[in-house]
Amino acid sequence: MSGSARKASPKPASGQPARPGARKPRDARSAPRRPAGAAGGSARQAHAAPRPVAAPATADGPLLRVPPDVIEAGVSAVLRLDGPADLVLRGFFREHAYLGRRDRGVVAETVFDVLRHRRLYAHLAQGLGGSLARACTRLSILRRFGDAAVPGLDVPAPLLEALQRVLTIDPQSLAQAIRLSLPDWLHAELLQQATAATAMPTVSTESDGAVRPPAEATAPDAMPLTPEQRVERLGQVLLQPAPLDLRVNVLKADRTAALAALHEAGIDAVPLDVPATAIRVQGKPALERVPAFEQGWFEVQDAGSQRLVEFAAPKRGQTVVDFCAGAGGKTLALAGAMRSSGQIYACDVSAARLQRLRPRLTRSGATNVQPFGLDSERDPKLKRLAGRADLVLVDAPCSGTGTLRRNPELKWRMQSQDIDALSVLQSSILAAAAALVKPGGTLVYATCSLLHRENEAVVEAFDAERLGFDAPQFLRLHPDEVDTDGFFAARWVRMRRPAVK
């Protein structure tokens, strides 16, 4: 799938897209993986409980204690692309249980840095010899830690000199796709979209319904970005680690109390401007050890994912269907927004994921959620909900390109043809979900994708074929503009009287 040199390209993923609720990318960000590498409407971490995987690495401490061959083994395990990187790492750490938390942090940070910069490192490593995993590991460590890492690497002087020399190459002298470590197909698609946006600027509709111009057009005397500059800005942001956001569970606490509990635990955290439930945490603290987390005061959830739930605008007492619930990150956010009133049906094709939702529900205090297992989007059980829902949220299986900061392996596991297969699945799920909306009710289609084929194209196809819904409003969140995961959403209201063509 990657368009990089063969050396830089893993074996392409294959397989059919999964059905509704199949695992997507990062909400750290809930990340179901659909086709071999697809993400489900948000990223893994966003809805998952925090995991004590890594402490921040420092060159003068734990880096020098971890044998380079152990770090390389972790990189090698993940570069096989046999599964989501965080799950592969979890298995790796079980096999290397002697590693302490800080040592696991060094391994994890190196693994994710290699995944983010895989194509660049593979390009620089040409001619250096050895395995791709070994070259990428050494380049990652030297690039991040410089000379402080040299004593621990145990690299022969000529090879060390060669590694240091290639790291001095000016990135601007490289092709943009290599510099940004994007597979050719994804780079080409993003550039094509940026070209179209430059020719006809796309306005974005925020959750308050206001229509605003693109971010670069709002600055006084700002020169419009060229398509290449737009891709560069986005690509550079996608090479950075994602922020760690929390959602305050309003059923148990308010944001002031949650912040006080975090500060008391020695955790640096600040409130975000939007949404009102969002907190951003600095570093990688062991949140699961904080008493307030155990008591259900907050969940890990990307601020963009929280804004998506806000855009859906659930109300107290409503009947709501979370059509692709996954492990339930957005389900819990919906329950909080509804103050645990009304009824939420959390639908998914995976009984295991719905089972993982149950302890989270207990911890949250929400009592209005009913897990609802499905065989597919055509499951006959859905007939009992037909025309009954005030709100149906479709957090569709997708490529997860909006979550590449937290799920960078997705760009190496996905191929262009997978997007075509996903768009067919997305359209099928959206059509099935629309039948559940009652007159006057709301339908929301969402992805954590940056790609037109999964977003506007699916909406346009739905609008062309379906009568009875008004014109959609949109929410578009781009990581380079709002510093959240990338999200797209469209919201319709079902007309009380069928439209006539």
Side-chain angles (χ1 to χ4, degrees):
M1 84 177 238
S2 140
S4 54
R6 291 293 173 202
K7 232 177 174 183
S9 303
K11 293 181 180 178
S14 61
Q16 295 300 314
R19 311 311 289 174
R23 284 181 71 103
K24 312 166 213 181
R26 293 333 184 351
D27 248 344
R29 303 171 185 289
S30 110
R33 316 268 180 204
R34 286 7 191 193
S42 6
R44 215 175 188 37
Q45 211 178 342
H47 295 319
R51 296 185 295 274
V53 169
T58 58
D60 57 352
L63 177 64
L64 304 182
R65 293 203 312 261
V66 185
D69 60 329
V70 174
I71 303 176
E72 179 189 332
V75 170
S76 180
V78 172
L79 284 184
R80 288 195 287 270
L81 302 172
D82 294 333
D86 57 347
L87 294 186
V88 175
L89 265 182
R90 191 181 301 179
F92 179 83
F93 290 142
R94 279 197 299 267
E95 295 172 1
H96 297 75
Y98 63 87
L99 291 172
R101 183 169 180 267
R102 287 187 177 275
D103 294 344
R104 294 198 306 272
V106 173
V107 175
E109 289 185 8
T110 303
V111 163
F112 278 89
D113 181 73
V114 167
L115 287 170
R116 292 187 183 99
H117 297 272
R118 185 184 192 281
R119 185 171 185 183
L120 173 62
Y121 290 163
H123 177 81
L124 297 178
Q126 295 180 69
L128 294 180
S131 69
L132 178 62
R134 175 168 298 177
C136 287
T137 299
R138 290 169 170 172
L139 287 168
S140 173
I141 292 172
L142 284 171
R143 187 185 68 86
R144 288 180 295 139
F145 300 116
D147 291 343
V150 171
L153 279 180
D154 191 25
V155 175
L159 178 56
L160 176 63
E161 182 180 343
L163 289 165
Q164 292 172 326
R165 184 173 57 252
V166 298
L167 286 172
T168 65
I169 293 174
D170 180 6
Q172 295 303 316
S173 68
L174 304 175
Q176 188 179 57
I178 294 175
R179 180 170 68 248
L180 300 178
S181 278
L182 293 171
D184 282 341
W185 73 267
L186 180 55
H187 176 260
E189 190 151 344
L190 292 174
L191 187 58
Q192 181 183 40
Q193 291 178 186
T195 301
T198 302
M200 186 177 296
T202 303
V203 294
S204 59
T205 304
E206 299 290 344
S207 55
D208 59 7
V211 177
R212 300 180 177 88
E216 67 267 16
T218 62
D221 303 321
M223 291 292 292
L225 297 179
T226 66
E228 292 77 11
Q229 288 171 330
R230 288 188 178 209
V231 173
E232 185 75 25
R233 184 179 70 176
L234 173 62
Q236 290 294 342
V237 169
L238 293 178
L239 290 173
Q240 305 303 313
L244 175 57
D245 297 335
L246 308 179
R247 177 185 56 79
V248 176
N249 177 15
V250 296
L251 301 179
K252 293 284 190 77
D254 59 27
R255 188 159 67 172
T256 300
L259 282 166
L262 289 165
H263 293 158
E264 184 178 351
I267 294 173
D268 186 6
V270 296
L272 296 182
D273 291 339
V274 288
T277 53
I279 292 174
R280 180 151 293 175
V281 172
Q282 304 303 312
K284 300 177 182 177
L287 292 169
E288 74 288 345
R289 300 176 185 173
V290 178
F293 172 75
E294 297 174 350
Q295 295 164 16
W297 284 23
F298 55 80
E299 285 271 344
V300 177
Q301 185 173 18
D302 178 66
S305 179
Q306 296 179 53
R307 290 182 66 177
L308 171 58
V309 173
E310 187 177 70
F311 178 74
K315 296 178 175 60
R316 300 187 190 196
Q318 287 187 330
T319 296
V320 174
V321 177
D322 188 355
F323 203 73
C324 303
K330 292 184 182 67
T331 303
L332 296 173
L334 290 165
M338 296 165 65
R339 297 303 192 272
S340 198
S341 65
Q343 180 73 64
I344 300 174
Y345 294 93
C347 301
D348 202 272
V349 295
S350 170
R353 279 195 297 279
L354 290 178
Q355 191 63 33
R356 290 198 296 274
L357 168 61
R358 294 182 186 277
R360 300 177 70 190
L361 277 174
T362 301
R363 189 172 66 243
S364 75
T367 58
N368 64 333
V369 177
Q370 178 178 329
F372 198 90
L374 299 176
D375 292 330
S376 73
E377 73 271 23
R378 300 183 184 88
D379 194 313
K381 293 196 295 291
L382 287 170
K383 291 181 180 178
R384 72 182 74 168
L385 299 176
R388 290 181 49 197
D390 297 286
L391 167 65
V392 177
L393 171 60
V394 180
D395 182 18
C398 70
S399 65
T401 46
T403 71
L404 290 180
R405 291 194 293 179
R406 78 183 65 260
N407 301 295
E409 78 277 12
L410 290 177
K411 60 185 174 182
W412 310 124
R413 297 178 64 205
M414 188 74 59
Q415 302 178 63
S416 180
Q417 56 264 39
D418 291 325
I419 309 302
D420 293 329
L422 277 167
S423 64
V424 172
L425 173 61
Q426 290 155 352
S427 292
S428 178
I429 292 173
L430 180 57
L436 309 185
V437 183
K438 74 179 186 182
T442 300
L443 172 65
V444 176
Y445 170 77
T447 74
C448 53
S449 172
L450 301 173
L451 303 182
H452 180 276
R453 282 188 284 168
E454 299 182 88
N455 296 337
E456 290 86 355
V458 172
V459 170
E460 291 162 6
F462 178 82
D463 284 341
E465 297 177 4
R466 300 279 154 185
L467 297 176
F469 287 89
D470 66 359
Q473 290 186 305
F474 297 98
L475 174 70
R476 295 180 179 92
L477 302 176
H478 287 186
D480 55 321
E481 295 179 358
V482 294
D483 197 22
T484 70
D485 284 349
F487 282 95
F488 169 88
R491 181 180 64 203
W492 298 264
V493 173
R494 185 162 211 152
M495 300 176 185
R496 297 186 182 277
R497 294 183 180 180
V500 178
K501 280 192 176 180

